[in-house]
Amino acid sequence: MRGTLAIDGETVFMARGGRQGVNHGEVTVRNGGKLASDWDALGYSGGTTSVQKLTLESGGVWELRGNSANKNASLGSTQIIMDGATITSFNTNTGAYDSSYQFGIIEHNGVPVTITTLAGSGVTPTVSAINVNLLLRQANTVFTIGDNSELIMTGRIFSNSWNNVTQNLTKEGDGTLILTANNTYGTGG
């Protein structure tokens, strides 16, 4: 599929995609909608052969799905924008949330994956959550947290020696980033 996919209050399932993914372009999930994707369904090649922008807003959910052996979704050069949304997981073997799922982020051609929350407009902060682990496979990862918003990261942030570089994590913006797990990242192998 090429172009823009809007999921508005519905659930859309994407099968395993691999390097190039199932959808090429932009995906928006809003109003309680859910994108349920199998292993690497969004692609990780970067550019026009994978999802370039994933917007989760107004209760939108990205649910990583898979069995006990396939617990990874990689993204390449993707902009992730969150506004009162959640990234979570579902184990198809157990039929329940699984805290061991992860998504890996990969920079391609100098364009890293970015994670941004939009500024909240109400009296209380707009809260988004990432409830899966985040595997850093790029040198520089930036969380930009908009004013009057919070991003709660319950999953673990970690790195591996995949690309043999030091991984840096930067928080920008006036909002709040809450890390609740034992995070281990830094020097690549």
Side-chain angles (χ1 to χ4, degrees), residues 104-107 134-143 157-170 183-189:
I105 55 178
I106 306 167
E107 176 180 321
L134 177 60
L135 171 59
L136 304 180
R137 291 180 165 174
Q138 60 187 19
N140 297 297
T141 300
V142 177
F143 285 91
I157 300 172
F158 67 106
S159 59
N160 65 12
S161 60
W162 180 76
N163 56 0
N164 202 28
V165 298
T166 298
Q167 289 89 7
N168 300 300
L169 180 65
T170 304
N183 302 297
T184 56
Y185 61 93
T187 305

Side-chain angles (χ1 to χ4, degrees), residues 38-61:
D38 281 344
W39 189 30
D40 292 336
L42 304 184
Y44 56 88
S45 63
T48 60
T49 60
S50 59
V51 171
Q52 296 140 8
K53 184 177 181 182
L54 175 61
T55 302
L56 305 167
E57 58 190 17
S58 302
V61 175

Side-chain angles (χ1 to χ4, degrees), residues 108-159:
H108 285 283
N109 299 320
V111 180
V113 172
T114 59
I115 301 171
T116 302
T117 64
L118 300 179
S121 59
V123 175
T124 59
T126 300
V127 178
S128 295
I130 299 178
N131 299 325
V132 296
N133 298 317
L134 177 60
L135 171 59
L136 304 180
R137 291 180 165 174
Q138 60 187 19
N140 297 297
T141 300
V142 177
F143 285 91
T144 303
I145 313 301
D147 186 35
N148 199 31
S149 71
E150 291 180 356
L151 177 59
I152 302 170
M153 178 80 196
T154 64
R156 185 172 67 99
I157 300 172
F158 67 106
S159 59

Side-chain angles (χ1 to χ4, degrees), residues 35-85:
L35 170 61
S37 66
D38 281 344
W39 189 30
D40 292 336
L42 304 184
Y44 56 88
S45 63
T48 60
T49 60
S50 59
V51 171
Q52 296 140 8
K53 184 177 181 182
L54 175 61
T55 302
L56 305 167
E57 58 190 17
S58 302
V61 175
W62 177 29
E63 181 181 80
L64 283 60
R65 296 176 63 89
N67 58 36
S68 296
N70 298 318
K71 298 182 178 186
N72 183 61
S74 295
L75 299 175
S77 302
T78 305
Q79 296 176 12
I80 301 172
I81 299 171
M82 300 179 74
D83 186 18

